Amino acid sequence: MFLTISTTGTPERPATDLGFLLHKHPDKAQAFSTSYGRAHVLYPEADDQRCTAALMLEVDAVALVRRGKGKGRGGAPDSALAQYVNDRPYAASSLLAVALSAVFSSAMRGVCTAKPELPSQPRPLRIEVPAVAARGGAEVVRRLFEPLGWTVTAEPVALDSAFPEWGDSRYVRLELESTRLTLAEALRHLYVLLPVLDDAKHYWVAPDEVDKLLRAGEGWLPAHPEQKLITSRYLSRRWSLTREAMERLELLRLAEADDSEVEEIDNAVEAETETEEKPTPLAVQRREAILEALRAAGAARVLDLGCGQGQLVQALLKDPKFTEIVGVDVSVRALTIASRRLKLDRMGERTASRVQLLQGSLTYTDKRLKGYDAAVLSEVIEHLDLPRLPALEYAVFGAARPRTVLVTTPNVEYNVRWESLPAGHVRHGDHRFEWTRAEFRTWASSVAERHGYDVEFVPVGPDDPEVGPPTQMAVFEWSTAVTKTEKEAKAA
């Protein structure tokens, strides 16, 4: 992945001023580490008449696969090969845009401490990128760059020069020339428009991307005729973020037209009178759903398997209907924290008689866990390696065999709605897997069938029409037919 920035000069304004603007000395070849490889900066030519700075991004293909892997995100089969065979090491895209921002951050901000007068001076610039991924072809390239004052040469790259009948690829060889722009403006144009042309990003688009877009687009994006296209593509077509960005851009446009500040226009509500209701945390919604299901099942003696720091145990203790509560966890440290949370050492005798904390592994049978009305496995199964699940299944459903079992686990399909979750990451570093709704239903149904339970599925949290709820819960109940057979056997 390669890009060059060239300028010309005179003895009074030497071209080597480019080195001051970029904060990179022309006599040195420098290398910088990035998340996806190494960026190299060197100057193929540098004298008073002409100076060229080259940025080469050497992409680490292994790091790219590891960081982008669908850990728990349920990647589609057709995308599996694309992790290994793709254009990322070669064609300019969001990877190069991020490298520009990292390597030339001061230049992009228009800062030059050695010669403070330089950043504000327009200068002749020529930018060349041998291969740019351009969805929409050369026409889109011109629509994006020409309104900004660039003279654009975008030559489509043939799919195969030996077979011209195959036509052009989605890549172009890009040359940009201008005498009216500053270097900072040019870098900000590239930072925004390279990923817009590619119409894809190599990282998860979080809400702070709106702020990045507005900072880099300051002075040119509000009036750009392709503002909507730029905003939508830059934010990966996430409609909520796109709408927010468009609204803020409209405020900027109105403020500029009215020669006033944005705050003066956007003043319909005083900041101190805003009373936006905070959403209920998902952990609280999950506990409430579990309590509701336990009450509906008529459970009085409850096991919290994998109780962690005791949040659910604490909630169960507040309801006198739950007469016996046992928290079980393999971690002694977690049980110690749970004991402190519950204040077991200062608890009244009657309350203390209702609760017990036990250390034990859920993948081994434990006779202490037999005979309870209900067991809860809340956000537990995803912390086990998949080969260990059958052992947990038998220990809970086969050996302990409570009348009701509640299992909650993340719905991986909903991960795309977590705006702060990077793409390719699960919700917790210790999660061994995260299942889709279909995968969870398949597992739960097979468990129910093997052990004589009926199972129903309950959404926890907002049930998105496209990706479902953030948490999925399976409610297992002893099968009516099995229960009847057991009663008849006992009577006989």
Side-chain angles (χ1 to χ4, degrees):
M1 203 180 296
F2 192 71
L3 173 148
T4 61
I5 304 172
S6 301
T7 188
T8 56
T10 63
E12 294 76 25
R13 295 184 60 188
T16 48
D17 281 347
L18 183 64
F20 289 102
L21 287 166
L22 293 175
H23 293 253
K24 304 293 181 288
H25 199 286
D27 292 339
K28 297 180 180 178
Q30 297 174 267
F32 306 86
S33 295
T34 72
S35 301
Y36 295 90
R38 290 183 69 77
H40 302 268
V41 178
L42 61 148
Y43 289 77
E45 54 184 347
D47 55 40
D48 290 351
Q49 285 73 41
R50 185 174 175 84
C51 184
T52 298
L55 171 65
M56 183 181 72
L57 180 58
E58 188 178 14
V59 175
D60 184 344
V62 175
L64 190 63
V65 171
R66 286 176 177 170
R67 286 176 174 267
K69 243 181 182 178
K71 296 180 180 178
R73 290 181 67 92
D78 60 350
S79 67
L81 183 61
Q83 296 179 23
Y84 300 93
V85 183
N86 56 59
D87 62 359
R88 292 308 185 215
Y90 315 107
S93 62
S94 59
L95 286 165
L96 186 59
V98 171
L100 281 171
S101 176
V103 176
F104 299 138
S105 58
S106 296
M108 193 174 291
R109 297 196 310 270
V111 175
C112 180
T113 53
K115 295 187 175 183
E117 73 282 0
L118 289 182
S120 61
Q121 296 175 357
R123 60 187 312 113
L125 293 171
R126 179 183 176 87
I127 295 174
E128 297 181 60
V129 191
V132 177
R135 193 175 298 276
E139 175 59 28
V140 170
V141 178
R142 285 188 284 269
R143 283 164 48 196
L144 294 180
F145 281 100
E146 284 181 350
L148 299 175
W150 291 102
T151 299
V152 180
T153 302
E155 300 176 356
V157 177
L159 279 172
D160 192 323
S161 57
F163 299 93
E165 66 273 14
W166 288 3
D168 296 329
S169 68
R170 61 185 292 258
Y171 307 98
V172 300
R173 183 179 183 279
L174 178 63
E175 295 179 5
L176 302 172
E177 291 186 273
S178 175
T179 58
R180 299 187 289 118
L181 297 169
T182 66
L183 179 64
E185 290 171 330
L187 292 174
R188 290 198 294 269
H189 294 167
L190 292 170
Y191 175 76
V192 172
L193 297 181
L194 286 178
V196 167
L197 284 171
D198 188 25
D199 198 12
K201 283 195 171 183
H202 66 278
Y203 58 89
W204 175 245
V205 175
D208 63 351
E209 290 294 299
V210 176
D211 294 325
K212 293 180 185 178
L213 173 62
L214 296 185
R215 282 197 300 269
E218 184 179 359
W220 62 270
L221 184 55
H224 199 291
E226 298 294 339
Q227 176 197 104
K228 187 174 182 180
L229 175 67
I230 294 170
T231 304
S232 176
R233 284 193 177 190
Y234 184 87
L235 298 171
S236 296
R237 303 182 188 275
R238 297 194 59 191
W239 68 267
S240 59
L241 299 184
T242 302
R243 182 179 63 183
E244 178 189 345
M246 294 295 290
E247 290 172 350
R248 291 171 62 179
L249 285 168
E250 178 63 13
L251 282 174
L252 289 170
R253 188 190 66 80
L254 291 173
E256 185 176 348
D258 201 36
D259 196 22
S260 59
E261 297 295 326
V262 171
E263 292 76 11
E264 297 177 23
I265 296 176
D266 190 20
N267 63 356
V269 179
E270 295 293 337
E272 61 269 18
T273 65
E274 293 181 1
T275 56
E276 184 178 350
E277 185 177 348
K278 293 184 179 179
T280 304
L282 180 58
V284 175
Q285 296 182 59
R286 191 161 47 236
R287 284 196 294 273
E288 290 175 349
I290 291 170
L291 292 171
E292 182 180 346
L294 290 172
R295 294 184 185 113
R301 304 175 66 240
V302 179
L303 297 168
D304 182 8
L305 304 178
C307 66
Q309 299 179 14
Q311 291 94 331
L312 179 59
V313 173
Q314 187 177 45
L316 290 166
L317 275 172
K318 294 177 181 178
D319 190 336
K321 291 179 181 177
F322 302 113
T323 58
E324 185 177 350
I325 304 153
V326 177
V328 182
D329 204 283
V330 72
S331 169
V332 174
R333 183 173 181 272
L335 292 173
T336 301
I337 296 173
S339 177
R340 291 173 184 166
R341 176 189 294 275
L342 299 171
K343 300 181 175 63
L344 288 180
D345 56 339
R346 289 178 282 169
M347 190 177 286
E349 184 177 345
R350 179 175 295 181
T351 305
S353 66
R354 295 170 53 212
V355 63
Q356 187 179 181
L357 297 179
L358 302 176
Q359 194 273 335
S361 173
L362 303 182
T363 56
Y364 295 93
T365 59
D366 190 335
K367 62 182 180 181
R368 297 175 297 175
L369 308 183
K370 291 184 177 181
Y372 284 84
D373 299 330
V376 178
L377 290 157
S378 179
E379 310 300 285
V380 171
I381 60 172
E382 64 274 7
H383 291 272
L384 294 177
D385 292 319
L386 284 171
R388 301 294 292 161
L389 272 185
L392 177 141
E393 174 192 331
Y394 177 75
V396 175
F397 294 90
R401 196 166 171 73
R403 187 177 71 245
T404 302
V405 181
L406 307 181
V407 180
T408 74
T409 191
N411 168 24
V412 69
E413 296 169 81
Y414 193 89
N415 284 4
V416 297
R417 298 293 189 257
W418 295 120
E419 297 181 338
S420 59
L421 183 65
H425 288 247
V426 291
R427 298 185 200 176
H428 189 280
D430 190 49
H431 287 187
R432 302 301 198 266
F433 63 89
E434 286 179 358
W435 275 336
T436 63
R437 287 168 291 173
E439 290 170 330
F440 181 55
R441 286 170 180 264
T442 299
W443 174 81
S445 298
S446 63
V447 169
E449 184 178 354
R450 282 192 292 269
H451 297 282
Y453 283 81
D454 295 322
V455 62
E456 293 182 355
F457 300 93
V458 179
V460 179
D463 197 358
D464 189 285
E466 294 181 2
V467 297
T471 294
Q472 44 193 340
M473 180 167 70
V475 180
F476 297 84
E477 296 278 358
W478 277 353
S479 172
T480 305
V482 173
T483 304
K484 183 177 180 180
T485 302
E486 290 177 346
K487 287 182 178 178
E488 291 173 349
K490 288 180 180 179

